[in-house]
Amino acid sequence: MGDPSCDGGRTTIMDLPDDCLCFIFQWLDCSSGRESFGLTCHRWLTIQNLSRRSLQFECSLTQLSLSSLSQTSINVTSFHVHRLLTRYQHLQQLSLSGCTELPDSGLNPLQSYGSKLQSLYLDCCFGITDNGLSLIGTGCPSVTSISLYRCTITDVGLEILANACSTLMRVNLSYCSRISDYGLEALSQKCSQLKGVTVSYCRGVTGIGFRGCSPTLAYIDAESCKLEPEGVMGVVSGGGLEFLNVSGVTLYSGGGLAAIGTGFAKRLKILNLRMCRNVGDESIMAIAKGCPLLQEWNLALCHQVKISGWESIGVSCNSLQKLHVNRCRNLCDRGLQALRDGCQRLLILYMNQNIRISCMAMELFKLYRGGVDIKEEEIMCIGPNWIT
């Protein structure tokens, strides 16, 4: 480029420094504008590459769209990952979810370009094993959120990851069948900033691995795990829990869930006990009294909850706004009356196929509690997503 003084002192946009061009790029609010930016010239393409913070493959399961579903899946290899990470060297979020044949070696580029990565999604990456977690541990020391849904990892790899990435806050291990309490213990003890953990359908998890976890741990999803009474105590032991999903858990005794109400879960706001068919009045009474901030409670298909349980909810759950009682066989007119006379902040009652509720009891409930919206739909999942 020539001397501006030789051209009448005029300055063009090409005379702007890179930081100004980066600032301009950040102000582009539409995706088409951002994509077109790099087509202008090589310099602007470099600015576009340096400014990119998030990358997701079309085959990714992280954010499904009609366009991604209609396209033919490509076999993402180590070559593709290396090319893209070489181009985009300042990524903070990377999704390789759905790259089912990606091997551990495909994560090698993270050794050179993963230092700034904060979120990593590897859902259904069936080729990723403990060796891959070792690569992540050494290449991505700043990662705070990782999803390993259905990955073939073990406690060994999880311990390696926990030791290397102590800043982890959110971890998704759902359907990781080889994970047990041993790996969870390493995660709970090494990662002092942990906020959310998903271990749904990890059949080797009893909950004991959460014992002594950080008070920052506010979100635990343990759906369909084989929790033990001592494990339930471990789950709530941190004292900071706000969301707990133990729907469909296998317990030898429904009374084991009473541990939720022993005083460690006083901050609990959302509790999902859906399909806990053997949870009884003892547990319900303990939870109702021990969790004063509870705002949403899913008791759908909890057939052993009877009069004493419903009465304790009516008396003690003064913060409850949403209650799910779908298909509860032992919710009768007296139980509904207890909910009607209590739960003064209740806004929504989800109920259907409650065969012991008479039409008269329903009409009385609507008459006295006109502000409560009765919905016949059955909600399977409640609460926030684990990554939020």
Side-chain angles (χ1 to χ4, degrees):
M1 186 175 292
D3 187 347
S5 61
C6 299
D7 194 22
R10 288 183 301 174
T11 301
T12 68
I13 194 170
M14 297 304 295
D15 296 312
L16 294 175
D18 286 352
D19 56 347
C20 288
L21 291 178
C22 285
F23 184 76
I24 293 173
F25 179 82
Q26 297 300 328
W27 273 91
L28 297 176
D29 56 0
C30 65
S31 58
S32 60
R34 286 174 173 261
E35 294 301 325
S36 301
F37 187 92
L39 299 176
T40 307
C41 64
H42 286 293
R43 185 184 176 207
W44 284 33
L45 178 61
T46 300
I47 296 298
Q48 181 189 48
N49 294 341
L50 292 174
S51 300
R52 184 150 193 161
R53 297 293 180 265
S54 177
L55 178 64
Q56 174 180 312
F57 284 83
E58 284 296 334
C59 61
S60 177
L61 305 175
T62 307
Q63 295 179 347
L64 291 177
S65 63
L66 291 177
S67 60
S68 64
L69 288 172
S70 62
Q71 294 185 8
T72 303
S73 297
I74 61 173
N75 180 20
V76 178
T77 65
S78 305
F79 172 76
H80 295 113
V81 177
H82 184 270
R83 283 286 301 272
L84 288 170
L85 291 184
T86 302
R87 178 177 175 181
Y88 306 116
Q89 299 184 15
H90 297 276
L91 292 177
Q92 296 178 356
Q93 177 176 311
L94 173 63
S95 176
L96 299 173
S97 297
C99 299
T100 57
E101 299 183 18
L102 183 70
D104 289 326
S105 59
L107 301 181
N108 275 323
L110 295 178
Q111 304 291 294
S112 302
Y113 308 113
S115 61
K116 297 182 180 179
L117 209 59
Q118 297 178 9
S119 300
L120 180 60
Y121 303 93
L122 298 172
D123 300 337
C124 295
C125 291
F126 305 130
I128 301 301
T129 68
D130 293 342
N131 292 330
L133 293 188
S134 180
L135 294 173
I136 295 170
T138 55
C140 310
S142 301
V143 69
T144 60
S145 179
I146 187 168
S147 183
L148 299 165
Y149 169 81
R150 288 191 184 273
C151 287
T152 52
I153 60 172
T154 71
D155 292 330
V156 174
L158 187 57
E159 184 175 18
I160 293 173
L161 183 68
N163 286 328
C165 302
S166 60
T167 57
L168 276 172
M169 295 182 182
R170 299 174 181 87
V171 181
N172 183 2
L173 300 169
S174 54
Y175 286 93
C176 292
S177 58
R178 301 180 184 180
I179 293 297
S180 72
D181 291 295
Y182 180 85
L184 286 182
E185 182 179 5
L187 187 68
S188 299
Q189 299 302 317
K190 300 294 183 180
C191 303
S192 59
Q193 302 176 57
L194 208 57
K195 293 184 177 180
V197 178
T198 300
V199 289
S200 56
Y201 294 91
C202 293
R203 307 298 284 181
V205 170
T206 69
I208 297 175
F210 287 108
R211 188 165 44 198
C213 60
S214 170
T216 61
L217 186 55
Y219 179 108
I220 294 180
D221 186 341
E223 180 179 355
S224 295
C225 290
K226 293 185 177 181
L227 298 185
E228 297 178 354
E230 187 179 353
V232 177
M233 282 294 296
V235 166
V236 300
S237 62
L241 206 59
E242 296 181 10
F243 171 92
L244 177 60
N245 179 15
V246 289
S247 59
V249 299
T250 301
L251 279 168
Y252 293 108
S253 170
L257 292 176
I260 298 173
T262 54
F264 290 100
K266 290 184 176 181
R267 298 183 183 180
L268 193 63
K269 296 179 181 178
I270 302 175
L271 177 59
N272 191 350
L273 299 185
R274 184 177 183 273
M275 293 182 67
C276 292
R277 291 185 170 90
N278 60 349
V279 62
D281 290 342
E282 177 187 354
S283 295
I284 297 301
M285 293 168 66
I287 295 171
K289 294 177 181 178
C291 304
L293 300 182
L294 203 58
Q295 297 176 4
E296 183 170 6
W297 196 350
N298 192 339
L299 290 169
L301 292 158
C302 292
H303 300 314
Q304 298 305 313
V305 183
K306 301 178 181 178
I307 294 295
S308 298
W310 300 120
E311 288 179 345
S312 66
I313 293 174
V315 172
S316 301
C317 294
N318 298 314
S319 299
L320 198 62
Q321 298 176 12
K322 299 179 182 179
L323 179 62
H324 306 248
V325 297
N326 309 79
R327 295 190 278 171
C328 289
R329 294 175 184 170
N330 280 307
L331 176 60
C332 59
D333 290 354
R334 282 183 58 193
L336 187 62
Q337 181 181 349
L339 299 178
R340 184 192 78 195
D341 295 339
C343 301
Q344 296 303 312
R345 296 187 181 181
L346 191 65
L347 299 175
I348 302 176
L349 181 63
Y350 295 92
M351 61 183 303
N352 67 327
Q353 299 183 42
N354 300 99
I355 58 177
R356 298 186 63 187
I357 299 293
S358 67
C359 294
M360 177 64 72
M362 283 298 301
E363 292 304 318
L364 286 173
F365 187 96
K366 294 176 182 178
L367 177 64
Y368 286 100
R369 299 298 299 273
V372 177
D373 186 7
I374 299 177
K375 297 188 176 183
E376 295 186 2
E377 61 184 303
E378 186 170 347
I379 307 297
M380 306 297 179
C381 302
I382 65 173
N385 187 281
W386 77 277
I387 59 175
T388 59

